[in-house]
Amino acid sequence: MKTSFFDTIDPKMLERIRAFRLMDDDFMTIVFSSDTKAAEFLLRIILERDDLTVKSCMSQQEKRNLYGRSVILDIIAEDTDHRLYNVEIQRSDKGNSPKRVRYNTAMIDSHTLQCGDDFTDLPELYIIFITEHDYLKLNKPYYKVKKYFDVSDKDGKIITYDDGVNVMYVNGTYRGNDAIGKLMHDFCTPNADDMYYSEIAKRVRFHKQEDSGVGTVCRVWEQYGDERAAEAKKIGILEGKRVGLKEGKNAGRKEMATNLLKDGTLSVQKIAEISGFSLEQLQKMADEISR
């Protein structure tokens, strides 16, 4: 009997792939990677615009900072009018901080202007966070950030502060009978057959059911796992240095193992190999995290 491609995949990996949703940032970036039409469809719904045409779309773009923390952006797109769009999936409330928006904006801007360019050459920028939870808990489809001066003009009207940065939080829990409500439904279901939008369902189905699509997910997921393990190990080493000597080493190992358990990319067995903790010890850590 001929061996199926799916017979060669670790069953746990295949189970994880089938459980992926677009609300999982790694899977979302794979689905929309370099697909300008899919990115265009997504942005048109979120921004409620029919005139937007995406000319380029890149995912998992790292913006390096020579003097401090770098940042990896989920999706960066550019339209035909040179406007930039950064779409981020945010499942943790902690990552919704306005200061993260500030940092992302700074990193994008610093990589946009060339030497000799004027500040007025900065393109209009849209920072869009699709959040798993309702950011303001007001059951709105989205929340747009507006900037104003603290004075009014001579007619008593508010004076806007236009720096070209447009910030928007999309409510992942919203299920209204409208375009965004249907889009958020599609982002939160793992089953392509349950989706409203065929444009998105087609891409999801490809990466979950077809050989080449599933193969891509496997390769990228393993790559992400290796990168995250290395990053977690680095954090553990730094934590160990901070605390010092033997106590520091133990604190660093625990920090590393905790980060990997929270991430969920690697199996518990693999985390045990990396961290040196037993499966029983890791299970206790996992129980503490889930409380």
Side-chain angles (χ1 to χ4, degrees), residues 4 22 26 60 63 106 111 154 200 214 255 257 269 283:
S4 165
L22 290 170
D26 291 336
Q60 289 291 333
K63 300 300 182 183
H111 286 77
K154 60 182 180 180
I200 295 177
V214 173
E255 178 79 7
Q269 289 81 2
Q283 185 58 55

Side-chain angles (χ1 to χ4, degrees), residues 95-153:
N96 294 332
S97 167
K99 289 189 177 179
R100 182 183 175 190
V101 176
R102 169 182 164 185
Y103 198 79
N104 279 17
T105 302
M107 293 299 290
I108 294 170
D109 284 347
S110 67
H111 286 77
T112 299
L113 284 186
Q114 302 299 316
C115 184
D117 286 349
D118 191 84
F119 291 118
T120 57
D121 295 326
L122 281 171
E124 189 170 0
L125 172 63
Y126 290 79
I127 303 286
I128 300 168
F129 277 85
I130 301 177
T131 63
E132 184 168 36
H133 305 120
D134 187 346
Y135 183 57
L136 294 181
K137 298 179 173 59
L138 296 174
N139 197 33
K140 301 294 184 181
Y142 53 77
Y143 306 104
K144 292 182 179 180
V145 176
K146 300 292 185 181
K147 301 177 185 178
Y148 305 95
F149 285 96
D150 64 351
V151 296
S152 302
D153 65 15

Side-chain angles (χ1 to χ4, degrees), residues 4-243:
S4 165
F5 168 77
F6 290 91
D7 293 333
T8 66
I9 303 175
D10 183 334
K12 290 184 177 179
M13 171 70 80
L14 189 57
E15 181 181 357
R16 180 179 291 275
I17 291 173
R18 287 171 175 165
F20 278 150
R21 307 167 303 156
L22 290 170
M23 193 58 76
D24 298 304
D25 59 349
D26 291 336
F27 185 62
M28 189 270 290
T29 57
I30 293 172
V31 169
F32 287 95
S33 179
S34 303
D35 191 325
T36 57
K37 288 301 179 183
E40 182 178 293
F41 182 79
L42 175 67
L43 291 171
R44 283 189 172 196
I45 291 178
I46 291 175
L47 298 175
E48 300 177 308
R49 285 177 45 193
D50 293 329
D51 61 336
L52 189 156
T53 303
V54 172
K55 73 173 185 179
S56 66
C57 175
M58 298 170 285
S59 62
Q60 289 291 333
Q61 288 296 299
E62 181 176 16
K63 300 300 182 183
R64 292 188 174 274
N65 181 356
L66 295 178
Y67 305 103
R69 178 173 177 172
S70 299
V71 64
I72 296 179
L73 306 173
D74 287 347
I75 292 179
I76 282 286
E78 182 180 1
D79 69 15
T80 51
D81 292 319
H82 306 294
R83 289 176 290 232
L84 293 179
Y85 304 85
N86 170 215
V87 181
E88 298 287 321
I89 292 291
Q90 189 54 54
R91 298 185 61 184
S92 168
D93 292 340
K94 181 180 177 181
N96 294 332
S97 167
K99 289 189 177 179
R100 182 183 175 190
V101 176
R102 169 182 164 185
Y103 198 79
N104 279 17
T105 302
M107 293 299 290
I108 294 170
D109 284 347
S110 67
H111 286 77
T112 299
L113 284 186
Q114 302 299 316
C115 184
D117 286 349
D118 191 84
F119 291 118
T120 57
D121 295 326
L122 281 171
E124 189 170 0
L125 172 63
Y126 290 79
I127 303 286
I128 300 168
F129 277 85
I130 301 177
T131 63
E132 184 168 36
H133 305 120
D134 187 346
Y135 183 57
L136 294 181
K137 298 179 173 59
L138 296 174
N139 197 33
K140 301 294 184 181
Y142 53 77
Y143 306 104
K144 292 182 179 180
V145 176
K146 300 292 185 181
K147 301 177 185 178
Y148 305 95
F149 285 96
D150 64 351
V151 296
S152 302
D153 65 15
K154 60 182 180 180
D155 297 320
K157 296 180 179 179
I158 293 174
I159 303 174
T160 59
Y161 182 82
D162 186 8
D163 58 0
V165 179
N166 307 275
V167 180
M168 181 177 183
Y169 291 84
V170 182
N171 178 6
T173 69
Y174 179 71
R175 295 293 184 274
N177 188 28
D178 54 16
I180 290 185
K182 293 175 180 178
L183 180 67
M184 290 302 96
H185 166 275
D186 288 0
F187 261 68
C188 293
T189 179
N191 190 351
D193 294 334
D194 291 337
M195 293 182 173
Y196 285 104
Y197 293 112
S198 59
E199 295 87 346
I200 295 177
K202 180 180 179 181
R203 293 287 297 167
V204 171
R205 195 174 288 111
F206 169 73
H207 286 291
K208 288 195 174 197
Q209 299 178 13
E210 296 187 24
D211 292 3
S212 57
V214 173
T216 297
V217 177
C218 289
R219 287 193 300 275
V220 173
W221 191 249
E222 288 171 355
Q223 176 186 341
Y224 289 168
D226 291 342
E227 291 174 354
R228 286 175 176 174
E231 181 65 23
K233 185 174 288 188
K234 184 195 304 181
I235 292 172
I237 292 171
L238 291 175
E239 179 66 13
K241 288 181 178 179
R242 184 183 70 79
V243 178

